[in-house]
């Protein structure tokens, strides 16, 4: 009888973790099956078409440990092309798996495709979402967690557990209707609400919130501390996140531990992810409100656009009542939000994915090799259509992915002529990308002359957010840069009429998407790519195209008929190793019994 206990635990482990011969025993595999389909849901009380993953909205979490090899087999059950991207996951040397149109051909309807990548030397809170056809506006997103290895401690006491909170603005029109509006020159208008974990607001006010809407309830135990991983997965609205009567201790953002500071509320911009430690230290006379409300908007017009969930202690005496906790008041402090962003600093004494402190990289002492000033302005008209731009260029997605075009010597697939500063010329639409030097150390200034707040994101990298300020950037602004403990992240806000400066060490070869995270601006062309190629490439700095690569555009004729597989199919050919390992572990179990 004692034999069965270790054997059973072994069988529960084996379907998830494998040790193929092409990776070391220290780097196991984790496999996932994602079936992306439409479901009917009513998050704001109105039935609508929603994109689900494995029937769930939001989708299930990916939960792995740093250095794991991850295989995600994505089945496209939609009626249009699909790509999944993994926001903040750096895909070291492997932009083939990034899941955007400049790097991947889309997955056709009724096809599947297996993403294979390593979460190399990363930890922290991220999320995935569909990257094309405005599909993110209908869902398809879910959390992605990379844990520390056991040998590397986290810089705080182990919390009781993780709580995923996905907040975002939401329309009752689906993504096809929204993108049709954008394509015809219309604005999206005010969202219909804000969702928390795919659910509408708790009825805190009978005038503003109709009855019958399903809301999120997060149940906790008194006295315990939980790690709340909060992601803004919305379209274009910055949100202020707060929990009634509770302090939120900021601990991590997008893969980097922060100097730990308490906040009563926090602005989370589109595409950003944060971890907060929250201790359940209040009495349980009632439940408490969790609120996500719009920022930098006309509050009287946006009163209905507020997400409200419930924090419920296990010994709660009754429901939450009364008004919501007050939102920030910027009337007397116009720089409140920017000062809050500046207060987020890197914990330079904490280990990250490696034993050495992640802040020990002395970025402030490195000479900048190239400066790029990327200017965004209000929408412009190009070819009688409203378009969004960086430096007067509205990006046209390439028909053939960029590195695939390089590999097969496809001429005219793109242009390496993206300007490093705004030019005095008529705006145009083009496939223009940045020819970035491998191992360069570049400065990028995002100048936002638009009337709305922007979020900007770079795939493949984390960048040092060294400065931000109102007005036009000029060289003398470098004197205000944080050159010691600037936070490192992949998504940053750029306030309207303001600038944000970042520094990037170009050590990850490939082609990486630089974009507006505001989904409407991204859809209308506010993006480009950094093409980073090692001139002495010998196969060690960039991985080859995967064996299951999809072909499209000029290479469409190379695409073979698809033979459906699953995420575990990558382990075929290693069955002898698997059986040998299984027998060895069974023998160990027998001896231990």
């Amino acid at each position: 009888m004692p034999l069965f206990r270790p054997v059973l635990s072994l069988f529960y482990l084996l379907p998830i973790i494998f040790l193929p011969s092409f990776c070391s025993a220290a780097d196991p595999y984790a496999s996932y099956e994602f079936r992306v389909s439409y479901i009917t849901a009513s998050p704001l009380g109105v039935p609508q078409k929603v994109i689900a993953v494995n029937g769930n909205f939001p989708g299930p979490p990916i939960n792995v440990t740093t250095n794991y090899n991850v295989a995600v087999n994505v089945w496209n059950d939609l009626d249009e092309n699909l790509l999944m991207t993994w926001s903040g996951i750096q895909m070291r040397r492997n932009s083939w798996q990034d899941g955007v149109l400049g790097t991947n051909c889309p997955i056709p309807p009724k096809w599947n495709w297996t993403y294979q990548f390593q979460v190399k030397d990363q930890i922290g809170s991220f999320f995935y979402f569909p990257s094309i056809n405005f599909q993110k506006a209908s869902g398809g997103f879910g959390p992605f967690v990379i844990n520390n290895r056991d040998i590397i401690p986290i810089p705080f006491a182990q919390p009781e557990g993780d709580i995923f909170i996905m907040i975002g603005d939401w329309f009752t029109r689906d993504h096809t209707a929204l993108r049709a509006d954008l394509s015809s020159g219309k604005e999206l208008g005010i969202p219909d609400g804000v969702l928390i974990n795919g659910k509408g607001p708790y009825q805190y006010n009978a005038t503003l919130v109709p009855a019958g809407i399903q809301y999120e309830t997060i149940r906790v135990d008194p006295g315990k501390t939980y790690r709340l991983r909060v992601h803004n997965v919305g379209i274009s609205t910055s949100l202020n996140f707060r929990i009634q009567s509770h302090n939120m201790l900021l601990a991590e953002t997008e893969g980097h531990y922060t100097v730990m500071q308490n906040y009563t509320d926090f602005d989370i911009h589109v595409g950003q992810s944060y971890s907060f430690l929250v201790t359940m230290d209040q009495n349980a006379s009632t439940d408490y409100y969790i609120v996500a409300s719009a920022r930098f908007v006309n509050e009287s017009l946006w009163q209905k656009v507020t997400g409200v969930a419930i924090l419920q202690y296990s010994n709660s005496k009754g429901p939450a009542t009364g008004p919501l906790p007050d939102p920030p008041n910027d009337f007397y402090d116009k720089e409140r939000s920017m000062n809050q962003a500046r207060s987020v600093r890197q914990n330079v004494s904490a280990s990250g994915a490696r034993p050495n402190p992640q802040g020990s990289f002395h970025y402030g002492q490195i000479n900048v090799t190239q400066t790029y000033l990327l200017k965004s302005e209000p929408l412009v008209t190009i070819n009688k259509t409203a378009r969004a731009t960086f430096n007067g260029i509205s990006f046209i997605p390439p028909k053939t992915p960029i590195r695939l075009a390089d590999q097969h010597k496809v001429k005219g697939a793109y242009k390496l002529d993206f300007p490093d500063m705004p030019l005095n010329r008529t705006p145009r639409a083009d496939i223009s990308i940045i020819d970035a030097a491998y191992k360069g150390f570049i400065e990028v200034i995002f100048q936002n002359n638009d009337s709305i707040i922007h979020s900007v994101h770079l795939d493949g990298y984390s960048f040092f957010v060294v400065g931000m300020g109102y007005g036009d950037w000029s060289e003398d602004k470098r004197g205000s840069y944080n050159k010691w403990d600037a936070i490192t992240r992949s998504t940053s806000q750029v306030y309207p009429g303001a600038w944000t400066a970042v520094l990037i060490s170009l050590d990850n070869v490939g082609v990486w998407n630089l974009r507006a995270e505001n989904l409407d601006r991204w859809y209308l062309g506010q993006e480009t790519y950094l093409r980073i190629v090692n001139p002495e490439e010998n196969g060690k700095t960039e991985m080859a195209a995967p064996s299951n690569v999809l072909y499209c555009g000029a290479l469409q004729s190379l695409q073979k008929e698809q033979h459906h597989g699953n995420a575990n199919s990558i382990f075929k050919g290693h069955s002898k190793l698997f059986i040998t390992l299984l027998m060895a572990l069974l023998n160990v179990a027998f001896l231990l019994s």
Side-chain angles (χ1 to χ4, degrees), residues 444-455:
V444 181
I445 297 99
F446 298 99
Q447 178 73 51
N448 181 7
N449 285 15
D450 202 346
S451 59
I452 62 170
I453 189 166
H454 286 183
S455 285

Side-chain angles (χ1 to χ4, degrees), residues 21 56 223 340 541:
S21 59
N56 297 312
Q340 186 184 73
T541 54

Side-chain angles (χ1 to χ4, degrees), residues 44 48-51 80 132-139 141 168-193 195 233-237 379 386 519-524:
L44 292 176
Q48 65 181 117
K49 184 168 65 175
V50 167
I51 297 177
E80 57 186 12
I132 61 174
N133 292 327
F134 217 71
Q135 290 162 353
K136 183 187 177 193
S138 287
F141 43 73
D169 54 5
W170 189 259
F171 291 82
T172 54
R173 311 193 307 280
D174 69 21
H175 67 285
T176 59
L178 293 172
R179 76 184 184 217
D181 285 347
L182 288 174
S183 297
S184 66
K186 297 178 183 177
E187 295 186 3
L188 296 181
I190 298 176
D192 297 301
L195 304 189
V233 294
I235 296 175
S236 61
T237 306
L379 298 181
L519 197 58
D520 53 344
R521 294 301 194 263
W522 183 11
Y523 181 77
L524 294 175

